[in-house]
Structure formats: C-alpha cells, structure tokens
Coordinates of all heavy atoms in Angstrom, one line a residue:
Q137 N 164.8 109.3 49.7 CA 164.1 108.4 48.8 C 162.8 108.9 48.3 O 162.5 108.8 47.1 CB 164.1 107.0 49.5 CG 165.4 106.5 49.8 CD 165.2 105.2 50.6 OE1 164.2 104.4 50.5 NE2 166.3 104.8 51.3
E138 N 162.0 109.5 49.2 CA 160.7 110.0 48.8 C 160.9 111.2 47.8 O 160.1 111.3 46.8 CB 159.9 110.5 50.0 CG 159.5 109.3 50.9 CD 158.6 108.4 50.2 OE1 157.5 108.8 49.6 OE2 158.9 107.1 50.2
M139 N 161.8 112.1 48.0 CA 162.1 113.2 47.2 C 162.5 112.7 45.8 O 162.1 113.2 44.7 CB 163.2 114.1 47.8 CG 162.8 114.8 49.0 SD 164.1 115.5 50.1 CE 164.6 116.9 48.9
N140 N 163.3 111.6 45.8 CA 163.8 111.1 44.5 C 162.6 110.6 43.7 O 162.6 110.7 42.5 CB 164.8 110.0 44.8 CG 165.5 109.5 43.5 OD1 166.1 110.2 42.8 ND2 165.3 108.2 43.2
R141 N 161.7 109.9 44.4 CA 160.5 109.4 43.8 C 159.7 110.5 43.2 O 159.2 110.3 42.0 CB 159.7 108.6 44.9 CG 158.5 107.8 44.2 CD 157.8 107.0 45.3 NE 158.6 105.9 45.7 CZ 159.2 105.8 46.9 NH1 159.1 106.8 47.8 NH2 159.9 104.8 47.1
E142 N 159.5 111.6 43.8 CA 158.7 112.7 43.3 C 159.4 113.3 42.0 O 158.7 113.6 41.0 CB 158.5 113.8 44.3 CG 157.7 113.4 45.6 CD 156.3 113.0 45.3 OE1 155.8 113.2 44.2 OE2 155.7 112.2 46.1
I143 N 160.8 113.4 42.1 CA 161.4 114.0 41.0 C 161.2 113.0 39.8 O 161.1 113.5 38.6 CB 162.9 114.2 41.3 CG1 163.0 115.4 42.5 CG2 163.7 114.6 40.2 CD1 164.4 115.5 43.0
N144 N 161.5 111.7 39.9 CA 161.4 110.8 38.9 C 159.9 110.9 38.2 O 159.8 110.9 37.0 CB 161.5 109.5 39.3 CG 163.1 109.2 39.6 OD1 163.9 109.8 39.0 ND2 163.3 108.3 40.5
T145 N 158.9 111.1 39.0 CA 157.5 111.2 38.6 C 157.4 112.4 37.7 O 156.8 112.5 36.7 CB 156.5 111.2 39.7 OG1 156.7 110.0 40.5 CG2 155.1 111.2 39.2
I146 N 158.0 113.5 38.2 CA 157.8 114.8 37.5 C 158.5 114.7 36.1 O 157.9 115.0 35.0 CB 158.7 115.9 38.3 CG1 157.7 116.3 39.5 CG2 158.7 117.2 37.4 CD1 158.5 117.2 40.5
G147 N 159.7 114.0 36.0 CA 160.4 113.9 34.8 C 159.6 112.9 33.8 O 159.6 113.1 32.5
A148 N 158.9 112.0 34.3 CA 158.2 111.1 33.5 C 156.8 111.7 33.0 O 156.4 111.4 31.9 CB 157.9 109.8 34.3
K149 N 156.2 112.5 33.8 CA 154.9 113.1 33.4 C 155.1 114.2 32.5 O 154.2 114.4 31.5 CB 154.2 113.4 34.7 CG 153.6 112.4 35.5 CD 152.9 112.8 36.7 CE 151.7 113.5 36.4 NZ 150.7 113.9 37.6
A150 N 156.1 115.0 32.7 CA 156.1 116.4 31.9 C 157.0 116.2 30.7 O 158.3 116.1 30.9 CB 156.7 117.4 32.9
N151 N 156.4 116.0 29.5 CA 157.2 115.7 28.4 C 157.5 117.1 27.8 O 157.0 117.5 26.8 CB 156.2 114.9 27.5 CG 157.0 114.5 26.2 OD1 158.3 114.5 26.1 ND2 156.4 114.2 25.1
D152 N 158.5 117.7 28.5 CA 159.0 119.0 28.1 C 160.4 119.1 28.3 O 161.0 118.7 29.4 CB 158.2 120.1 29.0 CG 158.5 121.5 28.6 OD1 158.0 122.1 27.6 OD2 159.5 122.1 29.2
F153 N 161.2 119.8 27.3 CA 162.6 119.9 27.5 C 163.0 120.8 28.7 O 164.0 120.3 29.4 CB 163.0 120.6 26.1 CG 164.6 120.8 26.3 CD1 165.5 119.9 26.0 CD2 165.1 122.2 26.5 CE1 166.9 120.1 26.1 CE2 166.5 122.4 26.5 CZ 167.3 121.4 26.4
D154 N 162.4 121.9 28.9 CA 162.8 122.9 30.0 C 162.5 122.1 31.4 O 163.4 122.2 32.2 CB 162.1 124.2 29.9 CG 162.5 125.0 28.7 OD1 163.6 124.9 28.3 OD2 161.6 125.7 28.2
I155 N 161.5 121.5 31.4 CA 161.3 120.7 32.7 C 162.2 119.6 33.0 O 162.8 119.4 34.0 CB 159.8 120.1 32.7 CG1 158.7 121.2 32.8 CG2 159.6 119.2 33.9 CD1 157.3 120.8 33.0
S156 N 162.6 119.0 31.8 CA 163.6 117.9 31.9 C 165.0 118.5 32.3 O 165.7 117.8 33.3 CB 163.9 117.3 30.5 OG 162.6 116.6 30.1
V157 N 165.2 119.7 32.0 CA 166.5 120.3 32.4 C 166.5 120.5 33.9 O 167.4 120.3 34.7 CB 166.7 121.7 31.7 CG1 167.9 122.4 32.3 CG2 167.0 121.4 30.2
H158 N 165.3 121.1 34.4 CA 165.2 121.3 35.8 C 165.3 120.1 36.7 O 165.8 120.0 37.8 CB 163.8 122.0 36.0 CG 163.9 123.5 35.7 ND1 164.8 124.3 36.1 CD2 163.0 124.2 35.0 CE1 164.7 125.5 35.5 NE2 163.5 125.5 34.9
V159 N 164.7 118.9 36.0 CA 164.7 117.6 36.7 C 166.1 117.2 36.9 O 166.5 116.6 37.9 CB 163.8 116.6 35.9 CG1 164.1 115.1 36.4 CG2 162.3 116.9 36.1
V160 N 166.9 117.3 35.8 CA 168.3 117.0 35.9 C 169.0 117.8 37.0 O 169.9 117.2 37.8 CB 169.0 117.2 34.6 CG1 170.6 117.0 34.8 CG2 168.5 116.3 33.6
E161 N 168.7 119.1 37.1 CA 169.3 119.8 38.2 C 168.9 119.2 39.5 O 169.7 119.2 40.5 CB 168.9 121.3 38.0 CG 169.4 122.0 36.8 CD 168.8 123.3 36.5 OE1 168.0 123.8 37.3 OE2 169.3 124.0 35.6
L162 N 167.6 119.0 39.8 CA 167.1 118.5 41.0 C 167.8 117.1 41.4 O 168.1 117.0 42.5 CB 165.5 118.4 41.0 CG 164.7 119.6 41.0 CD1 163.3 119.3 40.7 CD2 164.9 120.4 42.3
K163 N 167.8 116.3 40.4 CA 168.5 115.0 40.7 C 169.9 115.1 41.0 O 170.4 114.3 41.9 CB 168.3 114.1 39.5 CG 166.8 113.6 39.2 CD 166.7 112.7 38.1 CE 167.3 111.4 38.3 NZ 166.5 110.6 39.2
S164 N 170.6 116.1 40.4 CA 172.1 116.2 40.7 C 172.3 116.8 42.2 O 173.1 116.1 42.8 CB 172.6 117.3 39.7 OG 174.0 117.6 40.1
E165 N 171.4 117.7 42.6 CA 171.6 118.2 44.0 C 171.2 117.1 45.0 O 171.9 116.9 46.0 CB 170.7 119.4 44.2 CG 171.2 120.6 43.4 CD 172.5 121.0 43.8 OE1 173.0 120.8 45.0 OE2 173.4 121.5 42.9
L166 N 170.2 116.4 44.6 CA 169.7 115.2 45.5 C 170.7 114.2 45.7 O 170.8 113.6 46.8 CB 168.4 114.8 45.0 CG 167.5 113.8 46.1 CD1 167.2 114.6 47.3 CD2 166.3 113.2 45.4
E167 N 171.3 113.8 44.7 CA 172.4 112.9 44.7 C 173.6 113.3 45.6 O 174.1 112.4 46.4 CB 172.9 112.6 43.2 CG 174.1 111.5 43.3 CD 173.8 110.2 43.9 OE1 172.6 109.9 43.9 OE2 174.7 109.5 44.3
K168 N 173.8 114.5 45.6 CA 175.0 115.1 46.4 C 174.5 115.1 48.0 O 175.2 114.8 48.8 CB 175.3 116.5 46.1 CG 175.9 116.5 44.8 CD 176.2 118.0 44.2 CE 176.7 118.0 42.8 NZ 176.8 119.4 42.3
I169 N 173.2 115.4 48.1 CA 172.5 115.3 49.4 C 172.6 113.8 49.9 O 172.8 113.6 51.1 CB 171.1 115.8 49.4 CG1 171.1 117.3 49.2 CG2 170.3 115.4 50.6 CD1 169.8 118.0 49.0
R170 N 172.2 112.8 49.0 CA 172.2 111.4 49.4 C 173.6 111.0 49.9 O 173.6 110.3 51.0 CB 171.8 110.6 48.3 CG 171.6 109.1 48.6 CD 171.5 108.3 47.3 NE 172.7 108.3 46.7 CZ 173.8 107.4 47.0 NH1 173.7 106.7 48.1 NH2 175.1 107.6 46.4
E171 N 174.6 111.4 49.3 CA 176.0 111.0 49.7 C 176.3 111.6 51.0 O 177.0 111.0 52.0 CB 177.0 111.6 48.6 CG 176.9 110.8 47.3 CD 177.7 111.5 46.2 OE1 178.5 112.4 46.5 OE2 177.9 111.0 45.0
Q172 N 175.9 112.8 51.2 CA 176.3 113.6 52.5 C 175.5 113.0 53.7 O 176.2 112.7 54.8 CB 175.9 115.0 52.4 CG 176.8 115.8 51.4 CD 178.3 115.9 52.1 OE1 178.9 115.2 52.6 NE2 178.7 117.2 51.8
I173 N 174.2 112.6 53.6 CA 173.5 112.1 54.7 C 173.8 110.7 55.1 O 173.5 110.3 56.3 CB 172.0 112.2 54.4 CG1 171.5 111.3 53.3 CG2 171.5 113.6 54.1 CD1 170.1 111.2 53.0
Q174 N 174.6 110.0 54.3 CA 175.1 108.7 54.8 C 176.1 108.8 56.0 O 176.2 107.8 56.7 CB 175.9 108.0 53.6 CG 175.1 107.8 52.3 CD 173.8 107.2 52.5 OE1 173.6 106.1 53.2 NE2 172.6 107.7 52.0

C-alpha cells in the first residue's frame, strides 16, 4: 500500500509522458504483487 501511494504521487507530480509510461509499468507490476501476497 505504501509503494502504491509513492507511485501515485510520482504520477501526479511529474507531468511528463515518458514518466507516465513508467508509472503505468510500476502500477501494473505492483497490482500483480498485490494479488500474490494475499
């Protein structure tokens, strides 16, 4: 949950297309991690 909060903040602060692409990648991997750790 803390990792997700940091990623969301990065996406909100950095108004940049390339960073947004990386943020999507991070959120995608983190969502898979969230499902596994349940």
Side-chain angles (χ1 to χ4, degrees):
Q137 293 176 25
E138 292 300 305
M139 294 165 70
N140 187 60
R141 186 176 292 109
E142 298 297 345
I143 294 172
N144 285 335
T145 303
I146 292 171
K149 289 179 68 174
N151 185 20
D152 181 85
F153 175 77
D154 291 329
I155 289 182
S156 298
V157 171
H158 287 311
V159 166
V160 171
E161 293 173 355
L162 288 171
K163 290 180 73 69
S164 176
E165 293 301 327
L166 188 62
E167 176 59 23
K168 295 171 184 175
I169 288 174
R170 186 195 67 80
E171 293 175 357
Q172 293 286 47
I173 63 176
Q174 301 308 310

